[in-house]
Amino acid sequence: MGRFGLSQPVRRSEDHRFLTGSGRYTADISLPSQVHAVMLRSPHAHARLRDIDVRPALALPGVLMVATAQDLAADGLGSIRCAVPVKGSVGQPMPSPGRPLLARERVRFVGEPVAFVVAESLAAARDAMESIAVAYEPLPAIAGIEQALEGDARGRIWDGAADNVAFFWERGDESAVDAALRQAVSRVDLSLVHNRVIPCPMEPRASIGAYNPDDHRYTLYTSSQGGHSIKEQLARDTLKVPAERIRVIVPDVGGGFGSKIFHYPEEALVLWCAQRLGRPVKWVADRSETFLGDTHGRDQRNKIAAAFTADGRIEALKVETIANMGAYLNEFAPAIPSQMTGCMLSGAYAIPLIYANCRGVYTNSTPVDAYRGAGRPEATYIVERLMDEAARLLALSPDELRRRNFIGPEQMPYRTAAGPVYDSGDFARNLDDALQSADWNGFERRRSEAAERGRLRGRGLSCYVEICGFDEEEATLICDADGTIELLIGTQSTGQGHETAYAQIIADDLGVPFASVTVRQGDTDRIPFGRGTSGSRSLPVGGPAVRAACAALIAHGETLARHLLQAGDRPMHFESGQYHLDGEQDGRGIGLAEIAAALALPENRPPGVPHARLTASGRYKLAASTFPNGTHVCEVEVDPETGATEVVSYHVVDDFGTVVNPLLLAGQVYGGIAQGIGQALFENAVYDPASAQLLTGSFVDYGLPRAADVPFVDFRTNCVPCTTNPMGIKGAGEAGTIGACPAVVNAVHDALAPLGVAPLDMPLSPEKIWRAIAAARNTSPSFSPPSPAAST
């Protein structure tokens, strides 16, 4: 359909309402007779709850109720459970404590919910919250991985978890890998830290609960990445009422980054309180609650060993991980540092032997779960940092070492030693295109020029492969008599532009105007099935579902067209929204809108078509995952006097398979790279080692990248359609984040290497770099950082 069809750079149709303040987010919704709720959260990281006296709060004007764990237990409410079974080091089942809606007996992290206060106004609810008297008995707190490793000597967070170990996971033949390491011509050892990050979506979470006593149904409005999952968990685990009595509505969502996939206590509590009060209950998080109460990301330590041949070919890889789970096992948390990281440890390389293990440990901190990329950024960081360190050890250029180890396109499909089967990709071409775009061969000229200005310039590479797409999705199309096409689908946009991309597919397949398509998401009553948005699955799975629905609508429409045109079995074709009889000279035909209008009259419906609307559904189940891949090339300049790092050049070549909308795609890549730069240089959730208090609980202390910190990104594609879905789409929502961290860190290390500075862990803050340069200056008599030329 011309400029609105597939592969066209169509501007987001959502942008007008977002940019003009017409978006409708959960916090924008006000229901008749609505009341307000706030959460009382623990100020202690670890303490016994001796008593909660809510009487002072209930005595205040306008206060309607105060809920505690005792109240919830009396009404039979449950906990939020972890969806991933966990085992110990010899395969024994491990305890998996559910996350309570409100703390019972003990609090285990700062910010854990203790009581839920509902009042006529937000101010009254806050006053009441501050008057609640809670008797805490503080207990020793475990602030991070290092303290957790001290075991029971430090104290147990959970009685059934000896040494605070939550689970043990492994994959591969450890003895074979160890033998290869012993016999290696060259062995590379590396230890890495993945810093803890806080997702920080633009829109804090919010929930509104309503209850209708006439039909005994609950309605939840919530900011989420998938309403159907929330509905299932409310019915099964927390609210414990039949699923058909729950409706979840997700309006516009201002970012998620993984943290809004999960079911949170407030979602169940607003519904329960609404049922008890007979009035809608609204809760909106402030930014401090987002820092304390929403899941965090990353936070793991890796011990890496790799065997290389004399000519630089990798023979074996061993990765041992310790991952911080926080105080509870959140919904998918155990899978992120284990399965999701472990399955991608081959990266873009032909590694014959891989062994990986992971120990998850409990700490008195906010639970950790999926954050943009969810295991794949961790795996790519491990592999790409290893490749750079190996290149230095083997005296090879970083690009040459990668070329010697790439999986070739002629080897596809290729089963990696980590498990997945790559179906497509040309990794060497990605690298070649990126290096040419970045003028790799001209780097030494730029380094010399930077030195004249007193700056240290470095360059870094990252070649990534990620895994996308899972499960299945369903799409339903409804055509109305005025020609509008409505799509109902169970994915959930959080700012990616789904409405635009899906409309392009429909416009292309049905030959209808782009503007005639309306996309509906986020209503479990209207949309009976959906798996939400996570793991870059929406277009790889949702796109083929939409295409299947288009095909079903065309087929159903043809049946109706034949009936209305009395065409019998005569040949017919569909083009530009119209059915035409082949060979007809008089132009006889009928359009989708005309068919929809005709169906309004019962006499126009053929036998077996009871519906008064022209509608059809399609479902697509992904048989195998997709594997986006690409190369990032980054250049930085470091000021040796202050340690400040500036990303001065960034080039990326990605393979995303079939591209639906290059403009939306570029936006996803740019945003992902910004988040990767943020983790590499700025972001770090820090807990006080003595008290386990979050020290970076606001934007005053937690550093996000600003616009000036992100350079212009030269983004290009080298797209090889995948073979694992009918549209060839590979997925793109997380790729920028996955490739960016190692590219930036490798560039900084390249800049510092001439000074003898050893590798540093993220985030590479100015202070950390300045201290490393100062230490190198004190230990090396020949130390000589660049200084500005005399003329400057």
Side-chain angles (χ1 to χ4, degrees):
M1 288 295 294
R3 64 191 184 95
F4 292 108
L6 285 182
S7 302
Q8 297 302 307
V10 179
R11 289 187 178 274
R12 292 194 311 178
S13 54
E14 304 95 314
D15 281 351
H16 178 74
R17 71 172 190 271
F18 291 157
L19 295 175
T20 58
S22 302
R24 188 170 185 259
Y25 299 88
T26 303
D28 295 325
I29 298 170
S30 292
L31 302 179
S33 73
Q34 174 180 282
V35 294
H36 299 268
V38 296
M39 186 74 81
L40 174 65
R41 299 180 183 274
S42 170
H44 296 276
H46 198 195
R48 289 190 179 90
L49 281 173
R50 290 302 189 190
D51 184 57
I52 304 176
D53 186 358
V54 303
R55 290 173 297 177
L58 291 171
L60 293 176
V63 177
L64 301 174
M65 68 181 295
V66 179
T68 66
Q70 185 177 359
D71 301 318
L72 304 184
D75 215 23
L77 272 68
S79 298
I80 300 170
R81 71 180 188 181
C82 177
V84 181
V86 290
K87 297 180 179 180
S89 58
V90 293
Q92 77 276 23
M94 295 287 283
S96 182
R99 181 175 177 177
L101 301 179
L102 296 171
R104 301 185 296 257
E105 300 178 356
R106 272 202 278 176
V107 292
R108 291 178 169 86
F109 67 95
V110 173
E112 180 164 10
V114 173
F116 199 62
V117 183
V118 185
E120 293 286 356
S121 69
L122 184 58
R126 286 175 172 164
D127 288 344
M129 177 189 69
E130 292 174 358
S131 72
I132 297 172
V134 184
Y136 294 99
E137 179 188 332
L139 297 169
I142 296 171
I145 288 174
E146 291 75 12
Q147 293 180 353
L149 294 178
E150 296 176 21
D152 288 346
R154 185 81 186 190
R156 277 193 195 183
I157 296 175
W158 292 100
D159 293 337
D163 295 323
N164 293 305
V165 174
F167 66 88
F168 179 83
W169 171 94
E170 63 180 342
R171 170 182 282 163
D173 187 338
E174 183 176 18
S175 60
V177 170
D178 285 344
L181 290 169
R182 287 193 300 269
Q183 298 164 12
V185 174
S186 295
R187 171 175 170 150
V188 180
D189 291 278
L190 186 63
S191 294
L192 297 176
V193 172
H194 292 267
N195 43 322
R196 177 185 280 235
V197 294
I198 300 174
C200 299
M202 186 177 293
E203 176 209 20
R205 289 190 302 110
S207 296
I208 304 172
Y211 178 76
N212 186 341
D214 295 334
D215 58 10
H216 307 290
R217 294 198 75 211
Y218 298 84
T219 299
L220 173 69
Y221 299 83
T222 192
S223 178
S224 171
Q225 291 176 228
H228 294 86
S229 172
I230 305 303
K231 174 180 176 177
E232 291 167 10
Q233 292 177 81
L234 283 165
R236 182 189 65 217
D237 301 327
T238 55
L239 203 58
K240 294 188 174 180
V241 299
E244 58 270 19
R245 289 176 53 196
I246 301 173
R247 180 185 187 183
V248 177
I249 297 174
V250 181
D252 289 329
V253 180
F257 310 127
S259 67
K260 291 182 182 176
I261 301 170
F262 316 115
H263 179 27
Y264 285 92
E266 296 85 0
E267 292 166 327
L269 291 172
V270 294
L271 292 174
W272 183 73
C273 293
Q275 188 270 332
R276 290 172 70 90
L277 293 172
R279 297 174 67 180
V281 177
K282 181 176 185 177
W283 170 84
V284 180
D286 60 30
R287 185 58 67 177
S288 293
E289 288 183 286
T290 298
F291 274 85
L292 292 171
D294 291 9
T295 57
H296 292 181
R298 313 296 192 240
D299 202 352
Q300 58 177 258
R301 310 290 185 269
N302 309 113
K303 181 182 177 184
I304 305 156
F308 284 84
T309 63
D311 63 351
R313 299 188 184 277
I314 189 168
E315 295 181 302
L317 173 63
K318 183 174 186 176
V319 179
E320 298 173 282
T321 297
I322 301 170
N324 189 346
M325 294 289 98
Y328 297 92
L329 292 182
N330 210 64
E331 187 171 350
F332 303 127
I336 306 306
S338 58
Q339 300 168 32
M340 293 304 296
T341 300
C343 75
M344 296 312 297
L345 285 173
S346 193
Y349 311 109
I351 307 176
L353 295 171
I354 298 176
Y355 170 78
N357 67 38
C358 177
R359 264 190 300 162
V361 296
Y362 291 113
T363 64
N364 293 114
S365 64
T366 302
V368 176
D369 209 318
Y371 170 65
R372 194 170 189 171
R376 291 97 82 201
E378 294 90 322
T380 299
Y381 189 70
I382 290 166
V383 174
E384 291 305 294
R385 286 289 298 114
L386 169 69
M387 296 304 280
D388 257 39
E389 293 307 310
R392 289 193 180 96
L393 179 69
L394 299 170
L396 291 170
S397 66
D399 56 316
E400 178 57 29
L401 181 65
R402 286 168 168 82
R403 283 194 184 89
R404 295 185 186 188
N405 287 282
F406 276 145
I407 300 163
E410 73 283 354
Q411 294 175 272
M412 302 294 179
Y414 181 88
R415 180 177 294 279
T416 72
V421 178
Y422 298 167
D423 67 292
S424 59
D426 191 340
F427 309 144
R429 181 181 166 191
N430 294 340
L431 176 63
D432 291 341
D433 290 353
L435 296 187
Q436 181 178 2
S437 170
D439 186 23
W440 182 263
N441 292 332
F443 171 73
E444 291 303 330
R445 182 185 69 255
R446 295 189 293 277
R447 173 175 266 175
S448 297
E449 187 273 334
E452 291 177 1
R453 294 184 282 106
R455 297 294 188 265
L456 301 165
R457 190 159 182 136
R459 61 182 180 181
L461 275 179
S462 172
C463 299
Y464 77 91
V465 182
E466 68 147 323
I467 185 171
C468 288
F470 57 90
D471 220 319
E472 58 186 318
E473 200 55 70
E474 183 175 83
T476 297
L477 292 174
I478 303 168
C479 180
D480 286 330
D482 62 359
T484 60
I485 305 288
E486 184 178 39
L487 168 67
L488 307 178
I489 191 164
T491 57
Q492 182 64 53
S493 177
T494 60
Q496 300 93 331
H498 292 180
E499 294 178 33
T500 302
Y502 288 146
Q504 285 182 260
I505 295 171
I506 294 166
D508 199 72
D509 283 15
L510 297 184
V512 299
F514 172 84
S516 71
V517 181
T518 301
V519 177
R520 307 289 185 196
Q521 303 174 85
D523 186 339
T524 61
D525 269 15
R526 292 204 67 199
I527 305 163
F529 179 87
R531 295 301 187 200
T533 292
S534 61
S536 302
R537 69 178 297 275
S538 293
L539 271 186
V541 186
V546 170
R547 176 154 281 182
C550 289
L553 186 72
I554 292 170
H556 180 48
E558 181 175 334
T559 299
L560 299 172
R562 289 185 178 280
H563 173 75
L564 293 169
L565 295 175
Q566 300 180 354
D569 294 330
R570 294 173 59 188
M572 177 180 286
H573 66 276
F574 179 81
E575 183 179 358
S576 300
Q578 299 275 329
Y579 295 90
H580 298 277
L581 291 170
D582 292 354
E584 285 287 330
Q585 300 301 315
D586 59 1
R588 269 211 307 162
I590 189 170
L592 290 171
E594 296 170 274
I595 295 171
L599 283 179
L601 301 174
E603 60 269 23
N604 288 334
R605 300 174 205 157
V609 180
H611 298 294
R613 304 187 77 183
L614 177 56
T615 182
S617 297
R619 183 175 286 210
Y620 175 72
K621 185 172 184 178
L622 194 68
S625 295
T626 66
F627 298 94
N629 56 88
T631 294
H632 292 225
V633 181
C634 172
E635 292 187 16
V636 302
E637 287 187 2
V638 177
D639 182 346
E641 298 303 317
T642 65
T645 298
E646 179 185 2
V647 181
V648 295
S649 173
Y650 208 102
H651 296 257
V652 57
V653 173
D654 285 313
D655 171 11
F656 295 131
T658 300
V659 174
V660 173
N661 184 320
L663 194 62
L664 299 182
L665 179 65
Q668 288 294 297
V669 172
Y670 299 156
I673 289 171
Q675 285 184 288
I677 291 173
Q679 183 178 358
L681 299 180
F682 305 104
E683 299 185 50
N684 197 25
V686 179
Y687 283 85
D688 178 70
S691 64
Q693 292 283 335
L694 180 63
L695 300 180
T696 52
S698 75
F699 288 134
V700 174
D701 306 294
Y702 186 85
L704 286 180
R706 303 183 180 214
D709 299 314
V710 181
F712 169 79
V713 175
D714 185 289
F715 167 55
R716 308 179 186 206
T717 56
N718 166 29
C719 291
V720 181
C722 73
T723 63
T724 52
N725 78 48
M727 294 185 70
I729 299 171
K730 292 184 176 179
E734 296 155 305
T737 305
I738 291 167
C741 276
V744 174
V745 173
N746 284 339
V748 174
H749 288 153
D750 183 60
L752 300 178
L755 305 184
V757 175
L760 304 172
D761 285 312
M762 298 185 292
L764 301 179
S765 64
E767 179 186 0
K768 187 180 291 184
I769 292 174
W770 181 87
R771 289 185 180 278
I773 293 173
R777 177 184 291 116
N778 293 335
T779 57
S780 175
S782 60
F783 180 90
S784 179
S787 58
S791 61
T792 62

